[in-house]
Amino acid sequence: MARKPSNHLTPIELEIMKILWSSGPSSVETVRQQMPGDPPPAYTSVQTMLNLLEKKGKAKRKLEDRAYIYSAAETKLEAVQQTMKDIIDRMFGGSAEELVMGLLETQQLSPAKLEKLQRKVKEAADGSN
């Protein structure tokens, strides 16, 4: 039985998605030229990754002349929301509060950033009333 590809983005897939989000519809060669590394990855490697992203539903492609043009099938915000939901569910039992506490405990969230976050929460609460 064929294994369904994971819906999570690997680091290289994320790099490719960042290119699609910033550059818009792109050919394999256009994506390849924007990839980090010197020299850039092989054309066939980038093509394989784009095809995997299409199978995952993260990218879409259309044939123009004799080349496929790839574009993002989801926005960056949608990808961030899905990733954050997965992290919160898997690591923090679905509790966003536990995520914030984890950020504080690991010193990933400074007091200044926490104060800024508190202001944003207050603004969001005031705006919903």
Side-chain angles (χ1 to χ4, degrees):
M1 181 161 101
R3 208 175 87 168
K4 182 182 173 197
S6 168
N7 208 22
H8 302 290
L9 292 174
T10 65
I12 188 94
E13 289 171 340
L14 181 56
E15 283 298 321
I16 291 171
M17 289 303 295
K18 287 178 182 178
I19 293 167
L20 294 178
W21 289 323
S22 66
S23 299
S26 303
S27 68
V28 174
E29 183 59 23
T30 301
V31 171
R32 187 181 89 81
Q33 290 298 324
Q34 294 182 54
M35 295 289 292
D38 188 24
Y43 182 95
T44 54
S45 298
V46 175
Q47 184 176 40
T48 298
M49 296 309 299
L50 283 162
N51 288 334
L52 286 171
L53 285 166
E54 189 214 4
K55 282 185 177 129
K56 287 182 172 186
K58 304 291 184 180
K60 55 189 172 187
R61 70 180 185 185
K62 71 177 181 181
L63 193 58
E64 287 187 10
D65 296 321
R66 293 181 0 202
Y68 281 112
I69 302 298
Y70 292 84
S71 58
E74 67 181 8
T75 65
K76 184 176 182 181
L77 178 59
E78 290 168 333
V80 167
Q81 287 172 331
Q82 181 179 352
T83 301
M84 291 305 300
K85 182 181 180 331
D86 180 59
I87 289 170
I88 291 168
D89 288 346
R90 289 188 312 122
M91 297 296 296
F92 302 99
S95 171
E97 294 83 5
E98 289 295 321
L99 166 67
V100 174
M101 292 305 296
L103 292 171
L104 287 168
E105 290 168 359
T106 59
Q107 300 179 347
Q108 300 294 313
L109 190 58
S110 68
K113 288 181 182 177
L114 179 59
E115 187 177 315
K116 183 178 178 183
L117 178 61
Q118 288 170 325
R119 280 196 307 272
K120 288 193 177 277
V121 168
K122 184 175 180 349
E123 289 169 12
D126 291 345
S128 66
N129 293 331

